[in-house]
Amino acid sequence: MLFLLAALVPMTQAQRPAEWRNASAAEQAQDTVAFAGIDQAIREESPDVQSAVVVWQGRVVYQFYRDGSPDTLRNVHSVSKSALSTLTGIAWGQGHLASLDERIVSLVPEWAGLNPDPRAAAITVRHLLTMTAGFEVNDPTGTATAGHPQDAWKRPMRDDPGRAFAYDNALIPMLSVVLERATGMSVPDYARRHLVGPLALGEPSYQQGLSMRTLDMAKLGQLYLQNGVWAGQQILLEAYVHDATRPQSAGGLPLSLPYGYMWWVVRSNAVRPTFMAAGYGGQFVWVYPPLDLVIATTSAVSRESLQRFQAMKLIRGRLFAAAQQRAKEPSR
């Protein structure tokens, strides 16, 4: 594949793009009116929710931080899957991956003899992205801890690759190995050069899973909403964005929604359906293209919070209603 994206170089602070579209004083006043009372409602009605960011038309119109700190790095759990998908798409666009249908054993040849089932040799990058690799998975809640990728590759096969969806946390370290082999860089280094720098994200933490600012979660959704463009630069190929945020399989548990390339997709007849990154316990990046809207949330995780589902209720309730109200008012 041709190098469709120019190689990016680290940016100086002066070169970094503006984080969001600037708002006039009048627009900020309208935002305040539209989202009035929501801080108090979250504190009283949604105690699990720790932070929320609403971006409308490329501009931050609402922020909530229970701890008062927008710069806190928060564990996003499986939102990291959508971030890893993004890096994979960037690598493909830069020609590091010849094709999403490239076989894993061609990129990591030492795995070729580890799984006695001949179907394992047919697993491709696309199968990892769509969670249709075919391995035996017994994890309906999506909470199993991913082990060593080499051991995960040895697991018994349940289906032919590409045949059926199974939410499988063990595919993530596999895809990380593939990305590192393809690019010749560690995942954090590649992310820093080709995603963190260009989008002016706060430096994430990779200890015990990915932790990032809630604002940066929203930026990830905004990048997809803008068809891979940020500050006039094509960071991610539009073709990849299109396929990543549309159903590649019927999906299944734990969200019981169709699945793209590590993005969940809401069933819809819309030209661009709603899609989301979802992490255990209420970490969400929810993108609603018809309203040019991105909402990111983080939540405290507990056995009880998993049942309450407060973050999604907040997204689809008060925050969405406020955004709709704001969209009806012409900006001044």
Side-chain angles (χ1 to χ4, degrees):
M1 179 179 179
L2 296 176
F3 281 71
L4 297 174
L5 297 178
L8 301 174
V9 297
M11 295 183 177
T12 66
Q13 191 66 32
Q15 292 174 316
R16 282 193 165 196
E19 292 202 0
W20 304 103
R21 184 171 69 81
N22 292 327
S24 67
E27 286 178 318
Q28 291 177 8
Q30 289 175 296
D31 300 341
T32 299
V33 171
F35 289 88
I38 292 185
D39 279 24
Q40 182 176 353
I42 296 175
R43 293 187 184 282
E44 294 177 355
E45 301 170 9
S46 305
D48 299 329
V49 175
Q50 300 301 299
S51 66
V53 171
V54 180
V55 180
W56 174 63
Q57 294 188 339
R59 186 169 61 78
V60 178
V61 295
Y62 176 76
Q63 298 182 70
F64 168 83
Y65 302 98
R66 192 173 295 277
D67 59 6
S69 175
D71 290 327
T72 294
L73 299 180
R74 306 173 195 276
N75 191 323
V76 299
H77 295 271
S78 285
V79 170
S80 63
K81 294 180 173 67
S82 303
L84 184 61
S85 170
T86 305
L87 294 176
T88 304
I90 292 171
W92 173 61
Q94 292 177 339
H96 294 298
L97 292 167
S99 166
L100 296 182
D101 295 313
E102 192 166 359
R103 295 189 177 196
I104 303 304
V105 292
S106 71
L107 293 160
V108 193
E110 64 269 29
W111 289 359
L114 296 181
N115 194 311
D117 193 315
R119 293 178 293 182
I123 298 172
T124 67
V125 175
R126 191 185 307 273
H127 294 141
L128 301 189
L129 288 168
T130 58
M131 293 208 174
T132 59
F135 291 106
E136 185 69 51
V137 181
N138 184 22
D139 181 28
T141 64
T143 59
T145 301
H148 192 282
Q150 182 171 297
D151 294 331
W153 184 262
K154 297 176 183 178
R155 291 176 298 166
M157 299 288 292
R158 183 187 67 186
D159 290 304
D160 294 339
R163 181 176 179 273
F165 171 88
Y167 195 77
D168 185 357
N169 280 324
L171 301 186
I172 306 313
M174 285 187 197
L175 186 57
S176 297
V177 170
V178 168
L179 186 62
E180 290 180 344
R181 292 296 179 88
T183 64
M185 300 175 70
S186 70
V187 170
D189 285 346
Y190 189 74
R192 185 176 301 112
R193 180 176 289 267
H194 297 292
L195 189 63
V196 174
L199 269 63
L201 308 182
E203 182 67 27
S205 169
Y206 301 92
Q207 301 297 318
Q208 297 181 334
L210 177 65
S211 294
M212 56 195 303
R213 302 184 307 174
T214 313
L215 274 167
D216 295 335
M217 296 168 65
K219 282 187 179 182
L220 186 64
Q222 189 71 26
L223 177 67
Y224 278 78
L225 183 61
Q226 295 173 174
N227 291 311
V229 174
W230 191 268
Q233 187 175 14
Q234 191 78 49
I235 305 297
L236 185 63
L237 287 179
E238 183 174 354
Y240 188 88
V241 171
H242 180 279
D243 291 343
T245 58
R246 282 165 174 75
Q248 300 296 325
S249 78
L253 295 173
L255 263 60
S256 298
L257 290 172
Y259 205 66
Y261 294 164
M262 296 188 175
W263 288 86
W264 297 95
V265 185
V266 177
R267 296 178 183 86
S268 170
N269 293 322
V271 175
R272 288 194 74 184
T274 301
F275 56 94
M276 72 180 80
Y280 184 68
Q283 330 311 316
F284 289 107
V285 179
W286 189 81
V287 184
Y288 185 73
L291 203 60
D292 200 4
L293 180 67
V294 177
I295 302 176
T297 64
T298 65
S299 301
V301 177
S302 68
R303 182 176 300 176
E304 293 76 20
S305 70
L306 295 175
Q307 303 299 319
R308 290 190 286 259
F309 215 50
Q310 290 178 356
M312 185 51 64
K313 290 177 181 177
L314 174 66
I315 289 170
R316 299 184 64 180
R318 289 186 180 275
L319 294 181
F320 183 60
Q324 284 182 308
Q325 176 185 332
R326 179 64 185 88
K328 292 177 182 177
E329 303 170 0
S331 295
R332 297 191 298 267

